[in-house]
Every structure is written in structure tokens, then in C-alpha cells.
Amino acid sequence: GAWSTSWMYLFQSPNLACILYSHAHEEMQNILGRCSFCYGRGLIVFLDPSNAQKDGSARLGLVEFQILWNKIRKWLGIFRQYDLDKSGTMSSYEMRLALESAGFKLNNRLHQVLVARYAENETIDFDNFVCCLFKLEAMFRSFQTLDRDGTGVAELNITEWLLMSMCG
């Protein structure tokens, strides 16, 4: 199916992909079957680098897949909880509540920027919600590595800025 052809290349081993798919087929199909979001090789960038494959293959092993899958399941639960009208999309207000529940308390300006970036027709679907959360996690993680003193302030040179903004 679509899952096996579009996701198979993400795994270190095609056998691992098949085993995971056969054991969690229904749950995976439920979530992945309706999603087209920022999965693929680009998604690997959002995983915590400390959990990345030591061989640099940018492919998922069992540990990486488990981390990814647990995040997606957690975020699906949050999405469903804060999709207050059960429309399958979130309003700006619902998104604010959902982001806070996911651990991101953002100021109004940043929230407005995220809604403008991730909303389609003034609503946020699950695809865009997950992409937003992956990006927020990656950016917070990048900032924390640059905030060497833990002061909430980071000084960047051009290389660090480009790496963070292009890859983070």
C-alpha cells in the first residue's frame, strides 16, 4: 500500500519496516493513511540528534521509530482533545490550547506567526499541527544548545544562524 512504498526507505532495514507495519498496521493506517505531512527524509532532521543513527544514514532504527511514533500518538491525542468542535481541524484558539498542552506557552506574536504559517483556510489540520510541533521542538532544541550559559540569550555567528534556520 501507500504506507509501504512511501515509508519503507526511512528504515534501516526493510525487514524492520515490515515487522513494525505488520504489528501496528491498524493504528498506523489510522494515523498515516490520512496524513501527508512533513514525513519523509526531512522529518528525520526533527528527531533528537542524540537518538540519530550512528552510521549517519538518516534512517530510522527501532529506537528512532519508537520515539517518532510515540510523539505522533501523543500529539494525535492532544489534537483530538483540543479540536473542540470535532471538525478535524483546529481554530487559532484551539491551536493555542493544544500547543500549551504540548508544552509550548508562546506569546501572541509568535502564536499568530505560527497560525499564519501552518493554517489553511484559517484552520490547522493534523498534518500541519504535527509539522508545527516538530519544528518547534527542533528550534527549541537548537536554541538550547546555543544558549550555553542557560540565560535565555544566545549569540550566533552566521554559520550557526544558517544551520539553525535552514536545518533546525
Side-chain angles (χ1 to χ4, degrees), residues 6-168:
S6 63
W7 278 74
M8 196 79 105
Y9 71 89
L10 289 176
F11 293 92
Q12 274 183 318
S13 157
N15 294 337
L16 176 60
C18 291
I19 291 168
L20 291 170
Y21 187 64
S22 68
H23 283 80
H25 172 74
E26 190 172 317
E27 186 178 19
M28 289 177 139
Q29 199 58 36
N30 248 354
I31 295 174
L32 302 178
R34 54 179 219 188
C35 295
S36 60
F37 47 85
C38 54
Y39 290 139
R41 292 185 194 272
L43 182 62
I44 305 296
V45 171
F46 296 121
L47 292 174
D48 187 338
S50 65
N51 295 316
Q53 286 297 320
K54 290 183 178 23
D55 66 3
S57 67
R59 294 189 178 221
L60 296 175
L62 185 57
V63 172
E64 296 83 8
F65 177 79
Q66 184 177 12
I67 292 166
L68 172 66
W69 190 244
N70 287 339
K71 284 182 186 192
I72 292 170
R73 287 176 48 199
K74 175 185 171 194
W75 293 340
L76 178 60
I78 291 170
F79 184 88
R80 286 179 173 159
Q81 179 182 354
Y82 290 97
D83 175 14
L84 301 176
D85 62 0
K86 306 302 178 211
S87 64
T89 62
M90 289 191 295
S91 67
S92 174
Y93 172 73
E94 292 168 329
M95 172 110 165
R96 177 182 296 279
L97 297 175
L99 289 175
E100 286 182 16
S101 178
F104 297 100
K105 187 156 178 71
L106 308 171
N107 66 30
N108 286 337
R109 183 165 182 240
L110 185 52
H111 179 72
Q112 290 169 352
V113 167
L114 291 177
V115 168
R117 165 64 180 88
Y118 291 99
E120 295 176 13
N121 299 320
E122 299 181 23
T123 61
I124 299 93
D125 62 13
F126 181 64
D127 296 9
N128 285 316
F129 178 65
V130 170
C131 286
C132 178
L133 286 170
F134 274 122
K135 186 67 173 179
L136 278 170
E137 270 197 355
M139 295 305 291
F140 270 86
R141 197 171 45 248
S142 293
F143 182 82
Q144 288 170 344
T145 62
L146 296 168
D147 180 15
R148 294 170 184 95
D149 302 327
T151 60
V153 176
E155 193 172 307
L156 306 175
N157 64 39
I158 187 68
T159 302
E160 290 169 324
W161 165 250
L162 290 171
L163 283 170
M164 189 177 79
S165 62
M166 299 298 290
C167 303

